[in-house]
Amino acid sequence: SSGINAEWPLRPGVRMHTPGKGIAQSALPFKRTVPTWQKLTSDEVKETIYKLSKKGLTPSQIGVILRDSHGVNQIKHLTGTKILRILRAKGLSSTIPEDLYHLIKKAVAIRKHMEKNRQDKDSKYRLILIESRIHKLARYYKTKAVLPPSWKYESATASALVA
């Protein structure tokens, strides 16, 4: 054995800061065609996406609403592009990615909790872990040019980012 994990590309086997292996996931339908019962057209779905985005919903929330209320199983199969790309083309996407936004929101909530509860050592530890995830994700998004190279997470200004 060469010491290389044969399963690696399929299953990294690690979750950051938790002991779980993390292999649970949903499976996409094998067929990439639009179902025959689908009545909405590509343009109607795009208009719905724009409308929901202007209400302040995130791309994942828009996807859930389209799936549950409008019966659109896969937006990409119907429109040819993903929700975020549709929003970006129209100039409606947010400045920071959704996953990074939620991590920052969580860090701000823990900081607020820490102001009231100074003795909470576990929260302090969890805040350190969350902020390390924020830095790691920000570094990734800088390499992919999603965030500008000068973007920096600062706990003092973080509450303004999520407000």
Side-chain angles (χ1 to χ4, degrees), residues 15-109:
R15 283 270 181 250
M16 224 174 142
H17 310 131
T18 58
K21 298 286 190 285
I23 60 165
Q25 59 186 357
S26 60
L28 289 176
F30 181 72
K31 284 183 167 181
R32 292 198 177 102
T33 56
V34 180
T36 53
W37 48 262
Q38 184 68 58
K39 298 288 181 251
L40 291 172
T41 64
S42 175
D43 293 331
E44 289 171 340
V45 170
K46 284 182 181 180
E47 286 304 316
T48 310
I49 290 171
Y50 300 146
K51 209 183 311 173
L52 292 170
S53 177
K54 285 174 183 166
K55 284 184 181 176
L57 297 176
T58 61
S60 59
Q61 290 171 324
I62 292 170
V64 168
I65 289 172
L66 285 171
R67 182 195 68 199
D68 297 345
S69 303
H70 300 279
V72 181
N73 59 352
Q74 286 293 313
I75 284 90
K76 188 178 178 186
H77 297 170
L78 187 63
T79 62
T81 52
K82 299 177 181 181
I83 296 174
L84 188 61
R85 290 183 184 160
I86 291 169
L87 292 174
R88 231 181 243 144
K90 193 81 170 175
L92 295 170
S93 63
S94 64
T95 53
I96 60 172
E98 190 178 349
D99 51 356
L100 185 61
Y101 171 83
H102 286 297
L103 279 175
I104 292 171
K105 192 174 174 183
K106 193 183 284 189
V108 167

